[in-house]
Amino acid sequence: MPGSSFSVSSAALLDAEEGIEVVGEAADGLRGVELVRTEVPDIALIDVQMPVMTGIEATRRIAADPALAAVRVVILTNYGLDQYVFDALRAGAGGFLLKDTEPADLLQAIEVVARGEALLSPSVTRTLIGEFVSRPPDRTGAPGLEHLTRREREVTALAARGLSNEEIAAHMVISPLTAKTHISRAMTKLGARDRAQLVVFAYETGLVSARTTG
């Protein structure tokens, strides 16, 4: 896997893996953001609960910095998909992992995020859907939604159900490359940092109804 990785934990494991370089560690969120700005890594593993600055605020600052647009943030948490993680996804995180994730799963997750994909499995997406069931869609906060083509709306809706590019392609009878292109264009039009934010956007705006997804 090309590139480097910044980590607030699991440094020894990652540094021992061929193709991964740990370029820094930090004991608190503020220092973590400073390191990310200095090193501009491919991936930042951020603990959701850190001293000085929370992982959510650190994620928000990284996502808001144009110079760090290529940095993918993965949140580490003890609690699964709780409100902290939900807020982190909205702040710009590309996904999340439990701290007790097996080493092999951690490495695979890093590869997934490095490819620009969201670390959101179908089971995680279903939990996200459950979070939205009790929330009315915020259609007033949907800049760009009207600019999506029919195809782009369709691929966004399928992504929100947890389908991969290959699964979207099979569903729509198009090539995986075409599916990826539609996803990329939808993200650009909606100002979504990555696929995770695209999923959140789909439910928050009512493009996909949590009550009818199943």
Side-chain angles (χ1 to χ4, degrees):
M1 186 183 78
S4 57
S5 173
F6 164 79
S7 174
V8 294
S9 65
S10 306
L13 168 67
L14 295 175
D15 217 18
E17 185 70 14
E18 184 178 354
I20 296 179
E21 177 189 0
V22 176
V23 298
E25 293 182 82
D28 63 70
L30 181 60
R31 178 58 181 153
V33 173
E34 292 172 351
L35 269 174
V36 170
R37 286 174 174 162
T38 299
E39 301 292 343
V40 192
D42 294 332
I43 299 172
L45 296 181
I46 304 292
D47 196 324
V48 72
Q49 293 181 315
M50 293 188 293
V52 184
M53 179 186 296
T54 68
I56 294 171
E57 180 58 28
T59 298
R60 186 175 292 112
R61 294 193 184 193
I62 292 170
D65 190 336
L68 303 178
V71 177
R72 302 298 178 190
V73 176
V74 175
I75 292 291
L76 297 172
T77 177
N78 283 324
Y79 309 108
L81 191 66
D82 57 12
Q83 186 63 39
Y84 290 114
V85 176
F86 180 74
D87 289 343
L89 288 172
R90 298 178 74 180
F96 79 95
L97 287 169
L98 295 178
K99 290 183 181 179
D100 60 358
T101 296
E102 292 294 326
D105 293 334
L106 172 62
L107 295 172
Q108 182 180 17
I110 287 174
E111 292 178 356
V112 168
V113 177
R115 294 197 298 266
E117 300 177 20
L119 191 57
L120 290 173
S121 67
S123 62
V124 172
T125 301
R126 284 194 294 270
T127 310
L128 271 175
I129 291 170
E131 175 70 26
F132 286 113
V133 166
S134 61
R135 300 184 180 196
D138 180 17
R139 292 183 174 84
T140 61
L145 180 60
E146 68 278 9
H147 299 304
L148 294 186
T149 66
R150 180 181 61 82
R151 283 291 202 180
E152 289 163 356
R153 286 176 181 246
E154 187 174 356
V155 297
T156 299
L158 292 172
R161 289 171 47 193
L163 273 65
S164 66
N165 286 347
E166 289 73 18
E167 291 168 333
I168 291 172
H171 182 90
M172 297 177 64
V173 195
I174 57 178
S175 72
L177 179 59
T178 299
K180 182 178 181 180
T181 299
H182 286 315
I183 288 287
S184 297
R185 288 175 177 170
M187 286 170 52
T188 298
K189 290 180 179 181
L190 299 175
R193 180 180 172 87
D194 54 29
R195 198 183 186 99
Q197 284 199 320
L198 191 67
V199 171
V200 172
F201 178 93
Y203 287 101
E204 285 192 321
T205 60
L207 180 61
V208 174
S209 171
R211 292 174 177 81
T212 60
T213 303

